Amino acid sequence: MAVPVAVLDCDLLLYGRGHRTLDRFKLEDVTDEYLVSTYGFPRQFICYLVDLLGATLSRPTQRSRAISPETQILAALGFYTSGSFQTRMGDAIGISQASMSRCVANVTEALVERASQFIHFPKDEATVQTLKDDFYGLAGMPGVLGVVDCAHVAIKAPNAEDLSYVNRKGLHSLNCLMVCDSRGVLLSAETHWPGSLPDCTVLEQAALTSQFETDLHKDGWLLGDSSFLLRTWLMTPLHIPETPAEYRYNMAHSATHNVIERTLRTMRSRFRCLDGSKGTLQYSPEKSSHIILACCVLHNISLQHGLDVWSAPATGHVEQSEEEYEQMESVDSEACRVRQELLLTHFS
């Protein structure tokens, strides 16, 4: 005779049967200061996320007691900003560590579903021109549509045989390709690339390259550092500047490109699950990639709500690839011509 197997609900064991929704924590019962210190964000921001994700997080469940969207979001924010499933975080909102993990998975997928809503290049001409004007105001570099860079996020080893995620430092990671505007708003985020791939290879294979090479953005370019190849739509610094114009170009390039470096540092500071201080992301590459992308979405939403990207202390360290820059000089004659014309027109 078949023996029925009982599926144990950790929350049910802890709290018993009762209401169908677990609402043990109330936002209105705590101060904004507490919310910011514990979950990284103020009440208004959290309420916006509840409105944004509530319907998705309330999907029918086979579990006897569903966890409310509000509680799921608090659990996920607690993990993103602390990088930990510490018992105190679960205790604060009244759920077990196992339920914390499920909440992070649910909220992560809900945010990833909305990534294209919050992370994209502007399309209308007026907004594109504003984008260029804002970049030009930083250091006098014209025509800039975004600044691009890569950063590694440490993950657990997928398995002993898979070396594709082992980076130059011998650690397992994802190499994430990011583009932002002059305020630090992300315009593109590709978070799934294996850590063994150098930055130039990531860009070569990225959707970003297809987007720009189809002439979607033909009257401007991105700025990238010397780990990338010069392209007609991607301006890199000169390796050995010789003339005053070349020095001025490199200085303007560096000052403008610094925006993405600051953005990546402050994202790691705000989302400590990315900075490695609590250890690597203990998920598969796919799930880790989704967590990183979810943090990117939250980063852009936070800027929409006036939470300045530069306000957080930049304590996180961005682990970036150390490319062999001297081997990265472009042989694209048209790209060299575009950069030379830029030098003559704006920096001579």
Side-chain angles (χ1 to χ4, degrees):
M1 183 177 73
V3 178
V5 178
V7 178
L8 299 182
D9 184 324
C10 298
D11 294 312
L12 186 60
L13 291 175
L14 285 172
Y15 301 102
R17 295 188 180 277
H19 299 295
R20 292 190 61 78
T21 302
L22 300 179
D23 284 317
R24 293 183 283 276
F25 183 94
K26 297 293 184 183
L27 281 176
E28 58 268 24
D29 293 340
V30 296
T31 64
D32 249 17
E33 288 75 14
Y34 172 81
L35 291 172
V36 172
S37 64
T38 307
Y39 304 103
F41 294 96
R43 187 187 326 274
Q44 183 181 12
F45 181 88
I46 296 170
C47 290
Y48 173 82
L49 291 181
V50 173
D51 291 339
L52 178 70
L53 307 178
T56 302
L57 298 176
S58 299
R59 287 171 180 165
T61 174
Q62 295 179 347
R63 298 170 57 78
S64 59
R65 287 156 56 84
I67 301 176
S68 71
E70 181 179 285
T71 302
Q72 292 184 63
I73 288 167
L74 288 170
L77 291 179
F79 169 72
Y80 297 145
T81 58
S82 73
S84 172
F85 284 130
Q86 290 178 353
T87 303
R88 69 169 186 83
M89 186 66 70
D91 289 346
I93 51 180
I95 61 175
S96 66
Q97 182 171 320
S99 291
M100 279 278 295
S101 182
R102 286 194 297 273
C103 290
V104 171
N106 292 342
V107 174
T108 295
E109 292 311 306
L111 289 168
V112 167
E113 287 176 8
R114 291 162 176 78
S116 61
Q117 176 183 347
F118 293 100
I119 304 174
H120 55 82
F121 281 91
K123 294 181 179 177
D124 63 282
E125 291 185 11
T127 308
V128 170
Q129 188 57 51
T130 299
L131 188 64
K132 294 179 184 179
D133 292 343
D134 290 344
F135 272 119
Y136 186 79
L138 294 179
M141 180 69 76
V144 180
L145 296 168
V147 284
V148 59
D149 209 347
C150 284
H152 288 260
V153 176
I155 62 171
K156 73 172 183 179
N159 57 61
E161 292 76 30
D162 191 350
L163 299 179
S164 65
Y165 292 92
V166 179
N167 62 30
R168 290 168 59 87
K169 295 185 177 181
L171 305 174
H172 290 83
S173 68
L174 291 168
N175 195 2
C176 305
L177 181 70
M178 308 282 193
V179 180
C180 76
D181 70 10
S182 63
R183 293 177 52 237
V185 176
L186 294 174
L187 305 174
S188 178
E190 299 186 34
T191 60
H192 61 283
W193 297 102
S196 66
L197 294 181
D199 295 359
C200 60
T201 304
V202 168
L203 182 62
E204 182 180 343
Q205 299 178 11
L208 180 69
T209 294
S210 299
Q211 187 177 1
F212 273 81
E213 290 191 344
T214 55
D215 289 334
L216 187 59
H217 305 286
K218 41 186 163 182
D219 14 346
W221 39 70
L222 302 178
L223 296 188
D225 64 19
S226 297
S227 62
F228 300 111
L229 286 169
L230 178 70
R231 299 169 184 258
T232 56
W233 50 268
L234 178 66
M235 294 293 101
T236 59
L238 290 131
H239 295 162
I240 306 175
E242 297 177 346
T243 68
E246 290 176 345
Y247 276 102
R248 284 192 288 269
Y249 167 86
N250 270 13
M251 290 178 63
H253 188 292
S254 176
T256 308
H257 187 265
N258 182 252
V259 173
I260 185 67
E261 297 166 7
R262 294 174 66 195
T263 299
L264 292 173
R265 284 195 298 269
T266 52
M267 281 184 65
R268 284 184 183 269
S269 179
R270 176 165 282 164
F271 302 108
R272 301 309 293 268
C273 69
L274 308 181
D275 76 356
S277 65
K278 301 291 184 180
T280 61
L281 285 175
Q282 297 297 302
Y283 297 92
S284 67
E286 181 182 10
K287 289 184 178 179
S288 296
S289 169
H290 285 187
I291 287 173
I292 301 166
L293 185 56
C295 291
C296 292
V297 173
L298 289 172
H299 167 80
N300 276 9
I301 295 175
S302 69
L303 287 177
Q304 288 184 4
H305 282 73
L307 303 178
D308 189 354
V309 67
W310 315 129
S311 62
T315 56
H317 171 67
V318 179
E319 182 189 334
Q320 294 173 302
S321 297
E322 298 177 3
E323 307 291 348
E324 298 294 332
Y325 290 168
E326 66 274 12
Q327 298 178 7
M328 296 303 301
E329 188 59 79
S330 175
V331 295
D332 185 336
S333 59
E334 179 62 15
C336 292
R337 185 197 65 77
V338 170
R339 185 170 64 181
Q340 189 61 28
E341 184 177 325
L342 177 60
L343 276 162
L344 295 173
T345 305
H346 294 278
F347 296 97
S348 294

